[in-house]
Amino acid sequence: MLVVDKGNVWLDQVFQKITDKMDWVSDKSQDKIPYTTIKGTHDDRAVQNPSGDNEDGINWWTNGFWGGMLWQMYHVTGHEKYKQYANFAEDKLDACFAQFYGLHHDVGFMWIPTSVANYQLTQNPASRKRALHAANLLAGRYNPVGQFIRAWNDLPEGDTRGWAIIDSMLNIPLLYWASAETGDPRFRHIAERHADTVMNTFVRPDGSVHHIVQFDPFLGNAVKTYGGQGYENGSSWTRGQTWGLYGFMMSYQHTGNEKYLHTAKQIAHYFIANIPDNGIIPVDFRQPKEPTYEDSTAAAIAACGLIEISKVVGAYEKDLYLRAALKLLRTLDEQRTDWSTNCDCILQNGSAAYHNSTHHQSIIYGDYYFIEAILKLKGNDLYFW
Ligand code: GLY
């Protein structure tokens, strides 16, 4: 039986490295909302664009993760500076509501780690209002005929009225939260109908998942799949697998419905079976052997989902999920972290998409989920999903 207890030396050391690095970099980047690093220094996505619809600026989908890291550190250390910096980052996101056109289904990723976290910790009424505002925007993207939440706004390359994507499973917890908070079941109804659609159309018999499924927005039937950020249509984008794994676990946590736990486990088993011996996760499990593109962020997100599954299963199964999570996290710590002051991010070798021109960069959600996973092992994460 594998136990990660409080006396675990490795865990205590990683936790210490996280607190040291966050203590330093939170002061250094307190005025920014970082996404990646440029020559080791955090960039800043909290920038405005006069056109008001700049998705890469203040509306960028990852702009909640920096706040999430700060709230995790506030929760675990009690240091007031983290709260102050997190509030500062959350306030900046109000510009997105005013601009509106740059927002899409990723409002969950943006306002769960910021406003939901803040409200959970401080009962700040402004945070509650922001999170409810975001939940209403997300609910407004629901297509009742197809029973799916539309993912993105139209892309330069075409019409996406019928597109849903696996990442959505991390956005719908905002809807579960809104129903619990207001007592109005509408939000939860939408989340469950969407989760059912994703379960029935994205998850393949072997436990792998599609990134994108296109529905007919008028008739509701699924018409096409896309490889999206993975290698090709029908391949297996690893971060997408982790959004499914962790996301279905969240739907189980919010509803108690066993079918979502079963789906999370199905995806987890596929993921675990495909973890290479060296513990380094590729961008796509079905990519060619060369080039050896990898994505550290997928490893961190998978670890979070696996740890959550391990909490609700029996002793024998628990070992399977925890062992896999530990392999991923130990590999990241030993081979894919930079704890020095040469780089503002912690994780190295994240990849946003297989066909992007840039690979192996630091990406803020890699750091976020790595911290969340380590705090889970410590039994002290702030759980707001
Ligand atoms: N949600 C988009 C991504 O995972 O890159």
Side-chain angles (χ1 to χ4, degrees):
M1 171 67 184
L2 189 75
V3 179
V4 185
D5 55 31
K6 285 202 165 62
N8 185 291
V9 175
W10 168 75
L11 188 56
D12 288 345
Q13 284 172 347
V14 183
F15 176 69
Q16 188 59 51
K17 288 188 281 190
I18 287 172
T19 50
D20 290 347
K21 183 113 183 189
M22 283 303 294
D23 184 40
W24 166 76
V25 79
S26 61
D27 291 341
K28 184 167 183 257
S29 298
Q30 61 179 280
D31 294 326
K32 300 178 181 176
I33 302 184
Y35 166 64
T36 185
T37 54
I38 300 167
K39 295 187 179 150
T41 299
H42 274 153
D43 69 345
D44 184 12
R45 295 288 167 134
V47 287
Q48 309 288 336
N49 177 329
S51 74
D53 61 357
N54 59 318
E55 292 202 353
D56 288 356
I58 190 63
N59 295 306
W60 185 230
W61 75 275
T62 68
N63 277 355
F65 290 107
W66 175 243
M69 289 161 66
L70 297 167
W71 284 119
Q72 293 288 356
M73 297 315 295
Y74 176 68
H75 168 71
V76 85
T77 67
H79 294 163
E80 284 295 314
K81 70 170 183 178
Y82 291 120
K83 181 176 163 185
Q84 183 193 325
Y85 301 159
N87 272 311
F88 190 53
E90 184 183 334
D91 288 349
K92 288 185 184 179
L93 294 183
D94 284 349
C96 306
F97 289 136
Q99 293 175 4
F100 175 69
Y101 289 116
L103 291 175
H104 43 80
H105 79 144
D106 285 329
V107 292
F109 278 119
M110 295 172 74
W111 278 281
I112 293 172
T114 52
S115 297
V116 172
N118 191 351
Y119 182 61
Q120 193 169 313
L121 281 171
T122 73
Q123 290 75 53
N124 177 8
S127 296
R128 180 181 188 273
K129 186 159 52 169
R130 287 166 175 143
L132 287 177
H133 189 159
N136 276 277
L137 292 174
L138 185 56
R141 302 185 71 85
Y142 183 63
N143 181 319
V145 175
Q147 303 197 334
F148 68 89
I149 293 172
R150 178 180 175 177
W152 297 314
N153 305 332
D154 283 341
L155 301 172
E157 54 271 32
D159 173 2
T160 60
R161 285 176 293 178
W163 286 28
I165 69 173
I166 190 70
D167 326 30
S168 59
M169 294 306 295
L170 274 282
N171 288 317
I172 61 171
L174 185 62
L175 300 176
Y176 295 122
W177 173 85
S179 273
E181 186 56 33
T182 61
D184 183 339
R186 287 176 303 135
F187 303 100
R188 176 166 49 80
H189 290 328
I190 291 174
E192 290 187 50
R193 292 296 76 73
H194 177 79
D196 288 347
T197 301
V198 173
M199 192 176 67
N200 294 329
T201 56
F202 282 66
V203 185
R204 300 181 284 220
D206 66 356
S208 66
V209 298
H210 295 290
H211 182 195
I212 301 170
V213 175
Q214 180 180 332
F215 299 86
D216 183 317
F218 300 99
L219 301 175
N221 54 304
V223 291
K224 201 172 173 184
T225 62
Y226 296 89
Q229 285 161 251
Y231 176 61
E232 64 180 2
N233 191 21
S235 71
S236 175
W237 177 46
T238 54
R239 195 163 63 255
Q241 311 310 302
T242 72
W243 294 141
L245 188 171
Y246 197 11
F248 275 104
M249 187 57 202
M250 291 172 184
S251 275
Y252 170 66
Q253 289 166 327
H254 285 284
T255 65
N257 198 325
E258 293 282 335
K259 67 185 171 185
Y260 299 137
L261 175 60
H262 175 78
T263 305
K265 287 166 75 171
Q266 202 185 344
I267 302 169
H269 297 167
Y270 169 81
F271 194 95
I272 291 169
N274 281 281
I275 297 175
D277 288 344
N278 66 5
I280 302 284
I281 300 302
V283 176
D284 192 309
F285 283 132
R286 295 174 191 160
Q287 72 189 34
K289 279 202 163 53
E290 301 284 340
T292 53
Y293 292 148
E294 60 182 89
D295 182 17
S296 57
T297 72
I301 300 161
C304 287
L306 292 167
I307 296 167
E308 287 300 323
I309 295 175
S310 79
K311 294 178 186 172
V312 300
V313 295
Y316 176 73
E317 277 188 89
K318 186 185 179 77
D319 204 47
L320 168 78
Y321 299 111
L322 261 189
R323 223 175 254 287
L326 277 173
K327 176 166 178 141
L328 295 171
L329 294 171
R330 290 195 80 120
T331 304
L332 288 176
D333 173 45
E334 285 159 16
Q335 301 181 45
R336 294 294 183 262
T337 48
D338 186 334
W339 298 110
S340 77
T341 53
N342 294 326
C343 183
D344 289 352
C345 274
I346 297 170
L347 283 200
Q348 309 299 304
N349 289 22
S351 293
Y354 184 89
H355 293 289
N356 278 8
S357 54
T358 305
H359 299 89
H360 303 171
Q361 56 180 165
S362 293
I363 307 180
I364 199 72
Y365 47 82
D367 283 16
Y368 172 78
Y369 286 106
F370 183 74
I371 292 172
E372 185 186 297
I374 294 298
L375 296 186
K376 281 186 201 301
L377 291 181
K378 294 279 289 177
N380 198 16
D381 60 313
L382 174 68
Y383 198 61
F384 39 66
W385 293 103

